[in-house]
Amino acid sequence: MNHIFFLECSPAGNQSMGAQLVATALRDGQSRTQGMRLTTRSLAAQPLAPVSAQYAKAITSSAPLDDPALALSEKLISEMETSDRLLISTPMHNFTVPATLKLWIDYVLRIHRTFTNTPDGKVGLLQDRPTLVLVRSGGACIGDAARQPDFLTPYLRHALSTLGLHQVRFLYLAGPSPTVETLAHTRQALTSFLFPSIQPETSREHTSIALPNPVV
Ligand SMILES: Cc1cc2nc3c(=O)[nH]c(=O)nc-3n(C[C@H](O)[C@H](O)[C@H](O)COP(=O)(O)O)c2cc1C
């Protein structure tokens, strides 16, 4: 079973370019979806409640797992735990992750549950699994064309590695109107990720897809 958990973080939800590219990649591989399961969580369609005082108290006081204040956190963690691969599509908002993705992290990155403290620092408790992050931004955010800092990549990479997810690859899609070649490249990378037994993934950790005329 190839079970993919897809986390869509754009305010545009399934209208976002990231979600549409994923939908296209799924259509491209339609004949290969046998044995594949996709669970999607759209942070726009299903907004998460802000962190409550009860949740803050529960996670800092080692409350039992069945504490009602931990119910949402448990649900979100189990969506990840039961998947073989994690696909995150996120815009860059003010040089980092959007607030919705930060909130999701606040629910899933939980002491004594998904990470533990050791003398050497925090260590993730989730089983590692291939993870692909598609970053959408108005302008280039990495490479020579970037005219802005990128706090998204190091922050998200660190948060995911604290969960125990180290096999993380980032793809970047900058600008409002990607070229046909850029879109084809991204689609191919997504198809390789979604259907790994058919198309081997490239070994590159970063693939920068910047447009010639950045707008931000
Ligand atoms: C609140 C907000 C902040 C943004 N900050 C940045 C930014 O720091 N850098 C950037 O390149 N684009 C920024 N953008 C532009 C988006 O990243 C860009 O439009 C992206 O393509 C949106 O992707 P989406 O359609 O998947 O949501 C921002 C957009 C919004 C709404």
Side-chain angles (χ1 to χ4, degrees):
M1 171 66 83
N2 178 22
H3 183 185
I4 292 152
F5 176 53
F6 173 36
L7 184 67
E8 169 52 63
C9 309
S10 168
N14 61 16
Q15 297 303 310
S16 71
M17 189 178 288
Q20 294 197 0
L21 283 166
V22 171
T24 307
L26 283 169
R27 273 199 300 278
D28 287 349
Q30 214 165 23
S31 59
R32 308 165 204 159
T33 50
Q34 201 179 13
M36 179 209 193
R37 196 172 135 212
L38 180 79
T39 301
T40 301
R41 175 168 284 275
S42 163
L43 297 178
Q46 307 156 278
L48 301 176
V51 165
S52 66
Q54 291 85 347
Y55 176 66
K57 188 165 177 217
I59 64 166
T60 51
S61 63
S62 302
L65 289 187
D66 61 356
D67 186 316
L70 296 176
L72 176 58
S73 168
E74 281 300 312
K75 184 172 169 31
L76 298 174
I77 291 168
S78 101
E79 286 175 346
M80 250 193 314
E81 273 179 331
T82 53
S83 72
D84 304 308
R85 314 184 138 235
L86 172 61
L87 174 60
I88 300 177
S89 172
T90 182
M92 169 179 275
H93 280 179
N94 292 314
F95 322 115
T96 186
V97 296
T100 48
L101 177 53
K102 173 60 169 56
L103 185 55
W104 179 83
I105 291 169
D106 288 340
Y107 280 113
V108 299
L109 192 52
R110 231 175 77 202
I111 189 155
H112 307 313
R113 179 64 176 85
T114 54
F115 76 89
T116 188
N117 273 330
T118 75
D120 297 325
K122 297 176 179 181
V123 172
L125 298 175
L126 291 190
Q127 201 181 330
D128 199 4
R129 69 207 69 208
T131 299
L132 181 67
V133 182
L134 175 60
V135 180
R136 295 262 302 122
S137 60
C141 60
I142 62 156
D144 292 343
R147 297 290 175 269
Q148 59 183 336
D150 169 24
F151 297 114
L152 186 156
T153 310
Y155 170 70
L156 191 53
R157 185 182 289 287
H158 190 78
L160 292 170
S161 80
T162 308
L163 287 167
L165 307 182
H166 305 287
Q167 300 174 56
V168 182
R169 179 181 173 205
F170 284 80
L171 279 176
Y172 300 88
L173 196 55
S177 320
T179 61
V180 172
E181 292 78 20
T182 300
L183 289 174
H185 180 104
T186 308
R187 264 169 68 173
Q188 196 194 4
L190 284 168
T191 306
S192 299
F193 182 79
L194 293 168
F195 307 101
S197 58
I198 307 292
Q199 296 177 350
E201 289 186 58
T202 82
S203 57
R204 279 179 299 164
E205 196 177 55
H206 283 81
T207 304
S208 173
I209 308 169
L211 295 176
N213 299 311
V215 293
V216 172

